Structure formats: structure tokens, C-alpha cells
Amino acid sequence: MGRIAGIARHPFPKAPMETIEHARVTLEGGIAGDYRGAMKGRPYKRQVSLIEAGDWDAAMALVGHSIGWEQRRANLLVEGMDLPQTVGTRLRIGADVVLEVRCETDPCARMEALAEGLRAALTPDWRGGVCTMVVAAGEIALGDEIRIEDA
């Protein structure tokens, strides 16, 4: 079991990330106000992205920088648990929201623009995070518990 340590969104491509304290999560649009959640057909496999705080810290140590986690452009920062690396695994956040892991988040060239070597630092062992699809909608907030759902 872990907890949500950060929530972020961006309203259009290449927009700055906005960190927020709570968010509505919908089946149609992922994190409300985040443009990625409603893209590319149904079901969209990259609605909400998550990254582990420890993985971001490890990548920062490797590149010798201290850049805010939201610059990874992930929606949720998770503390206290290892995110599953198995497609189909479901994660429950708080009482209502359920996300299903659909794929690894591949680090893009944008990471290299932040810090030389960051793309490579985020590549091993799913360190760049996971992409998920919304299975059950609801509200989330900083500090909410996140856990792997029983099969």
C-alpha cells in the first residue's frame, strides 16, 4: 500500500504542468483538465500516468539534478509502494477510483531536454512509470491510499 504524494495535469500539448491537491477522474477524460486523458480512441490506454517517487529520485541522482517530479509530465506521484509492471493489474485510489495498468511509460526526448542522461536514467525497470486506463471514476486527493486490487 502507498499514497498519492502528487497530482499534476496540463491542459494542452507542451503546456506547463500544474500541480493540484485534488482531482476528478473520469472514464472519458482521465484527470479532469488534463488533455491526455481523452485522446486517441476508446478505450484510451494512456489516460493517467503514474511514477514512483523513489524512481524519480533515483533518476535525479543518476543525472545529478534536482528537478520537480511534475516535469516528468506524469499525472500522479506515488510514495510507499512499487507500481506493478504487469498489464491488466488494477490499482485502487481512495474509495472509488480504479486504474488498470496498460503499458510502461516510455521516456521521451523531452526528458533529455530537461537533463542530459535523464531519458536513459528513466528507461530501466519501468522507472519512467506506468500508463493506465480509468476503470472506475471518482475523486482523488493528495494523501489518498493507493493499493493493488485483489484479482
Side-chain angles (χ1 to χ4, degrees):
M1 222 175 346
R3 71 176 192 90
I4 300 299
I7 305 170
R9 63 184 179 190
H10 56 305
F12 56 89
K14 299 183 182 176
M17 294 299 285
E18 169 191 24
T19 56
I20 55 179
E21 293 185 10
H22 53 83
R24 175 126 187 88
V25 180
T26 68
L27 296 171
E28 301 80 19
I31 302 281
D34 188 72
Y35 93 98
R36 275 206 180 272
M39 293 176 55
K40 298 183 183 173
R42 299 282 181 259
Y44 181 48
K45 297 178 181 181
R46 296 178 57 120
Q47 285 186 299
V48 179
S49 57
L50 299 85
I51 188 167
E52 295 173 33
D55 283 347
W56 181 252
D57 292 345
M60 288 294 98
L62 284 170
V63 298
H65 285 276
S66 180
I67 300 169
W69 74 272
E70 72 281 355
Q71 297 305 308
R72 173 65 185 99
R73 306 191 72 73
N75 296 118
L76 302 178
L77 180 69
V78 176
E79 287 183 338
M81 74 177 287
D82 292 331
L83 290 170
Q85 297 178 2
T86 304
V87 172
T89 303
R90 291 189 173 190
L91 300 167
R92 178 171 295 274
I93 302 173
D96 300 319
V97 173
V98 178
L99 307 175
E100 183 176 283
V101 174
R102 301 309 304 153
C103 61
E104 176 181 6
T105 306
D106 293 322
C108 64
R110 185 173 208 140
M111 295 302 99
E112 204 60 22
L114 285 175
E116 185 177 341
L118 182 54
R119 187 175 189 177
L122 288 169
T123 300
D125 197 32
W126 292 45
R127 192 180 285 157
V130 298
C131 294
T132 65
M133 178 179 75
V134 180
V135 176
E139 300 284 333
I140 60 170
L142 293 179
D144 278 356
E145 181 181 283
I146 180 171
R147 63 188 179 282
I148 296 172
E149 284 271 89
D150 291 331

